[in-house]
Amino acid sequence: EVQLVESGGGLVQTGGSLTLSCAASGFTPNNYNIGWFRQAPGKEREGVSCITSNDDETYYLDSVKGRFTISSDNAKTTVYLHMNNLKPEDTGVYYCAFTGVVGGGLPTHRSQYSDWGQGTQVTVSS
């Protein structure tokens, strides 16, 4: 059973930085994809950034390009989302998601991911 545990959320002022961590376990760390999604109140859950297990492909939502960076540790069991120059519109619950289905390109939509963490709150004050 895949388990995903997010951490690193919090309250930060506009322009500040946070790094989210997603500790993944319960799967064979070969080929898989992990994504970071966020959901603001009243809005749909959207893909923020995704990465393949071999780090050869990444995806970023247009509004976070140049500000957010996704990375993984050498063991490929923890995925990070480094968030800089945060804006109030970045506020939301951030979720880590996993899919073992690979091929056909890096999935970026929530429907393409099968396992989810519990989420961590990010609040950016103006």
Side-chain angles (χ1 to χ4, degrees):
E1 180 183 358
V2 177
Q3 291 187 327
L4 304 168
V5 180
E6 303 100 333
S7 60
L11 173 64
V12 65
Q13 292 184 333
T14 296
S17 299
L18 284 173
T19 294
L20 305 182
S21 300
C22 172
S25 62
F27 63 94
T28 301
N30 290 325
N31 295 324
Y32 60 87
N33 303 303
I34 285 187
W36 282 101
F37 293 76
R38 69 185 180 193
Q39 188 164 20
K43 294 188 176 181
E44 292 188 349
R45 191 172 299 186
E46 62 180 354
V48 175
S49 184
C50 306
I51 191 168
T52 55
S53 56
N54 56 7
D55 297 345
D56 66 344
E57 188 174 356
T58 57
Y59 160 81
Y60 294 96
L61 184 67
D62 282 347
S63 62
V64 307
K65 287 180 180 177
R67 300 189 296 122
F68 291 11
T69 303
I70 193 169
S71 65
S72 62
D73 65 353
N74 289 336
K76 307 299 183 183
T77 57
T78 302
V79 175
Y80 305 96
L81 185 65
H82 308 278
M83 306 185 296
N84 297 315
N85 191 21
L86 283 160
K87 304 176 180 181
E89 51 264 42
D90 294 318
T91 293
V93 179
Y94 282 68
Y95 298 90
C96 175
F98 168 95
T99 176
V101 178
V102 297
L106 177 62
T108 62
H109 192 270
R110 62 185 183 276
S111 65
Q112 298 173 292
Y113 286 80
S114 55
D115 298 274
W116 294 81
Q118 81 288 352
T120 185
Q121 177 71 44
V122 172
T123 303
V124 185
S125 62
S126 57

mmCIF file of all heavy atoms in Angstrom, residues 87-107:
data_model
loop_
_atom_site.group_PDB
_atom_site.id
_atom_site.type_symbol
_atom_site.label_atom_id
_atom_site.label_comp_id
_atom_site.label_asym_id
_atom_site.label_seq_id
_atom_site.Cartn_x
_atom_site.Cartn_y
_atom_site.Cartn_z
ATOM 1 N N LYS A 87 2.871 34.022 -3.281
ATOM 2 C CA LYS A 87 1.827 35.017 -3.458
ATOM 3 C C LYS A 87 0.555 34.551 -2.762
ATOM 4 O O LYS A 87 0.362 33.342 -2.569
ATOM 5 C CB LYS A 87 1.550 35.213 -4.946
ATOM 6 C CG LYS A 87 2.780 35.591 -5.763
ATOM 7 C CD LYS A 87 2.458 35.673 -7.243
ATOM 8 C CE LYS A 87 3.699 36.051 -8.052
ATOM 9 N NZ LYS A 87 3.405 36.148 -9.501
ATOM 10 N N PRO A 88 -0.327 35.462 -2.412
ATOM 11 C CA PRO A 88 -1.579 35.057 -1.758
ATOM 12 C C PRO A 88 -2.367 34.031 -2.564
ATOM 13 O O PRO A 88 -3.018 33.153 -1.981
ATOM 14 C CB PRO A 88 -2.342 36.382 -1.631
ATOM 15 C CG PRO A 88 -1.270 37.409 -1.533
ATOM 16 C CD PRO A 88 -0.176 36.928 -2.435
ATOM 17 N N GLU A 89 -2.280 34.097 -3.880
ATOM 18 C CA GLU A 89 -3.011 33.139 -4.710
ATOM 19 C C GLU A 89 -2.421 31.738 -4.657
ATOM 20 O O GLU A 89 -2.986 30.800 -5.211
ATOM 21 C CB GLU A 89 -3.102 33.615 -6.162
ATOM 22 C CG GLU A 89 -1.774 34.024 -6.769
ATOM 23 C CD GLU A 89 -1.528 35.518 -6.683
ATOM 24 O OE1 GLU A 89 -1.823 36.128 -5.621
ATOM 25 O OE2 GLU A 89 -1.014 36.076 -7.682
ATOM 26 N N ASP A 90 -1.277 31.575 -4.003
ATOM 27 C CA ASP A 90 -0.707 30.245 -3.799
ATOM 28 C C ASP A 90 -1.312 29.549 -2.584
ATOM 29 O O ASP A 90 -1.029 28.380 -2.327
ATOM 30 C CB ASP A 90 0.805 30.339 -3.599
ATOM 31 C CG ASP A 90 1.535 30.832 -4.842
ATOM 32 O OD1 ASP A 90 1.186 30.393 -5.950
ATOM 33 O OD2 ASP A 90 2.462 31.656 -4.678
ATOM 34 N N THR A 91 -2.140 30.248 -1.846
ATOM 35 C CA THR A 91 -2.765 29.686 -0.658
ATOM 36 C C THR A 91 -3.656 28.508 -1.004
ATOM 37 O O THR A 91 -4.401 28.545 -1.986
ATOM 38 C CB THR A 91 -3.593 30.770 0.061
ATOM 39 O OG1 THR A 91 -2.707 31.769 0.572
ATOM 40 C CG2 THR A 91 -4.396 30.181 1.212
ATOM 41 N N GLY A 92 -3.572 27.460 -0.192
ATOM 42 C CA GLY A 92 -4.405 26.295 -0.399
ATOM 43 C C GLY A 92 -3.852 25.103 0.353
ATOM 44 O O GLY A 92 -2.809 25.198 1.015
ATOM 45 N N VAL A 93 -4.553 23.997 0.253
ATOM 46 C CA VAL A 93 -4.042 22.744 0.789
ATOM 47 C C VAL A 93 -3.254 22.058 -0.321
ATOM 48 O O VAL A 93 -3.764 21.877 -1.428
ATOM 49 C CB VAL A 93 -5.182 21.828 1.275
ATOM 50 C CG1 VAL A 93 -4.602 20.516 1.808
ATOM 51 C CG2 VAL A 93 -6.002 22.520 2.346
ATOM 52 N N TYR A 94 -2.032 21.714 -0.010
ATOM 53 C CA TYR A 94 -1.148 21.084 -0.983
ATOM 54 C C TYR A 94 -1.103 19.583 -0.716
ATOM 55 O O TYR A 94 -0.852 19.151 0.410
ATOM 56 C CB TYR A 94 0.247 21.695 -0.906
ATOM 57 C CG TYR A 94 0.337 23.034 -1.588
ATOM 58 C CD1 TYR A 94 -0.333 24.145 -1.076
ATOM 59 C CD2 TYR A 94 1.072 23.197 -2.760
ATOM 60 C CE1 TYR A 94 -0.273 25.378 -1.714
ATOM 61 C CE2 TYR A 94 1.142 24.423 -3.401
ATOM 62 C CZ TYR A 94 0.466 25.503 -2.882
ATOM 63 O OH TYR A 94 0.529 26.716 -3.517
ATOM 64 N N TYR A 95 -1.343 18.826 -1.776
ATOM 65 C CA TYR A 95 -1.365 17.377 -1.694
ATOM 66 C C TYR A 95 -0.264 16.771 -2.557
ATOM 67 O O TYR A 95 0.014 17.247 -3.658
ATOM 68 C CB TYR A 95 -2.705 16.832 -2.184
ATOM 69 C CG TYR A 95 -3.907 17.268 -1.402
ATOM 70 C CD1 TYR A 95 -4.603 18.419 -1.746
ATOM 71 C CD2 TYR A 95 -4.359 16.522 -0.316
ATOM 72 C CE1 TYR A 95 -5.718 18.825 -1.032
ATOM 73 C CE2 TYR A 95 -5.478 16.916 0.396
ATOM 74 C CZ TYR A 95 -6.145 18.071 0.031
ATOM 75 O OH TYR A 95 -7.252 18.460 0.743
ATOM 76 N N CYS A 96 0.280 15.688 -2.064
ATOM 77 C CA CYS A 96 1.220 14.885 -2.823
ATOM 78 C C CYS A 96 0.452 13.685 -3.378
ATOM 79 O O CYS A 96 -0.403 13.119 -2.674
ATOM 80 C CB CYS A 96 2.338 14.440 -1.877
ATOM 81 S SG CYS A 96 3.535 13.331 -2.584
ATOM 82 N N ALA A 97 0.736 13.315 -4.610
ATOM 83 C CA ALA A 97 0.024 12.206 -5.236
ATOM 84 C C ALA A 97 0.987 11.309 -5.996
ATOM 85 O O ALA A 97 2.026 11.778 -6.484
ATOM 86 C CB ALA A 97 -1.052 12.739 -6.170
ATOM 87 N N PHE A 98 0.600 10.047 -6.129
ATOM 88 C CA PHE A 98 1.464 9.023 -6.730
ATOM 89 C C PHE A 98 0.696 8.252 -7.790
ATOM 90 O O PHE A 98 -0.503 7.990 -7.650
ATOM 91 C CB PHE A 98 1.920 8.066 -5.634
ATOM 92 C CG PHE A 98 2.579 6.799 -6.120
ATOM 93 C CD1 PHE A 98 3.958 6.723 -6.220
ATOM 94 C CD2 PHE A 98 1.833 5.677 -6.465
ATOM 95 C CE1 PHE A 98 4.581 5.568 -6.662
ATOM 96 C CE2 PHE A 98 2.443 4.519 -6.908
ATOM 97 C CZ PHE A 98 3.819 4.464 -6.998
ATOM 98 N N THR A 99 1.398 7.901 -8.858
ATOM 99 C CA THR A 99 0.860 6.937 -9.792
ATOM 100 C C THR A 99 1.972 6.038 -10.273
ATOM 101 O O THR A 99 3.062 6.514 -10.603
ATOM 102 C CB THR A 99 0.149 7.593 -10.986
ATOM 103 O OG1 THR A 99 -0.266 6.555 -11.892
ATOM 104 C CG2 THR A 99 1.076 8.529 -11.752
ATOM 105 N N GLY A 100 1.706 4.740 -10.328
ATOM 106 C CA GLY A 100 2.670 3.776 -10.833
ATOM 107 C C GLY A 100 2.466 3.510 -12.314
ATOM 108 O O GLY A 100 3.201 2.711 -12.896
ATOM 109 N N VAL A 101 1.506 4.177 -12.910
ATOM 110 C CA VAL A 101 1.248 4.029 -14.342
ATOM 111 C C VAL A 101 2.166 4.981 -15.076
ATOM 112 O O VAL A 101 2.082 6.204 -14.908
ATOM 113 C CB VAL A 101 -0.218 4.343 -14.675
ATOM 114 C CG1 VAL A 101 -0.450 4.235 -16.179
ATOM 115 C CG2 VAL A 101 -1.149 3.411 -13.914
ATOM 116 N N VAL A 102 3.050 4.441 -15.863
ATOM 117 C CA VAL A 102 4.013 5.271 -16.582
ATOM 118 C C VAL A 102 3.869 5.041 -18.086
ATOM 119 O O VAL A 102 3.234 4.097 -18.526
ATOM 120 C CB VAL A 102 5.454 4.962 -16.145
ATOM 121 C CG1 VAL A 102 5.637 5.304 -14.677
ATOM 122 C CG2 VAL A 102 5.786 3.508 -16.407
ATOM 123 N N GLY A 103 4.470 5.942 -18.848
ATOM 124 C CA GLY A 103 4.367 5.872 -20.295
ATOM 125 C C GLY A 103 3.311 6.842 -20.792
ATOM 126 O O GLY A 103 2.352 7.136 -20.092
ATOM 127 N N GLY A 104 3.499 7.344 -21.969
ATOM 128 C CA GLY A 104 2.537 8.257 -22.539
ATOM 129 C C GLY A 104 2.663 9.669 -22.032
ATOM 130 O O GLY A 104 1.731 10.467 -22.188
ATOM 131 N N GLY A 105 3.779 9.982 -21.424
ATOM 132 C CA GLY A 105 3.992 11.339 -20.947
ATOM 133 C C GLY A 105 3.714 11.486 -19.467
ATOM 134 O O GLY A 105 3.049 10.653 -18.849
ATOM 135 N N LEU A 106 4.220 12.550 -18.888
ATOM 136 C CA LEU A 106 4.052 12.813 -17.460
ATOM 137 C C LEU A 106 2.622 13.242 -17.174
ATOM 138 O O LEU A 106 2.151 14.238 -17.730
ATOM 139 C CB LEU A 106 5.030 13.910 -17.043
ATOM 140 C CG LEU A 106 4.968 14.388 -15.591
ATOM 141 C CD1 LEU A 106 5.283 13.250 -14.637
ATOM 142 C CD2 LEU A 106 5.949 15.540 -15.389
ATOM 143 N N PRO A 107 1.916 12.533 -16.329
ATOM 144 C CA PRO A 107 0.537 12.925 -16.015
ATOM 145 C C PRO A 107 0.507 14.178 -15.157
ATOM 146 O O PRO A 107 1.328 14.348 -14.240
ATOM 147 C CB PRO A 107 -0.013 11.717 -15.260
ATOM 148 C CG PRO A 107 1.186 11.052 -14.696
ATOM 149 C CD PRO A 107 2.307 11.293 -15.650
#
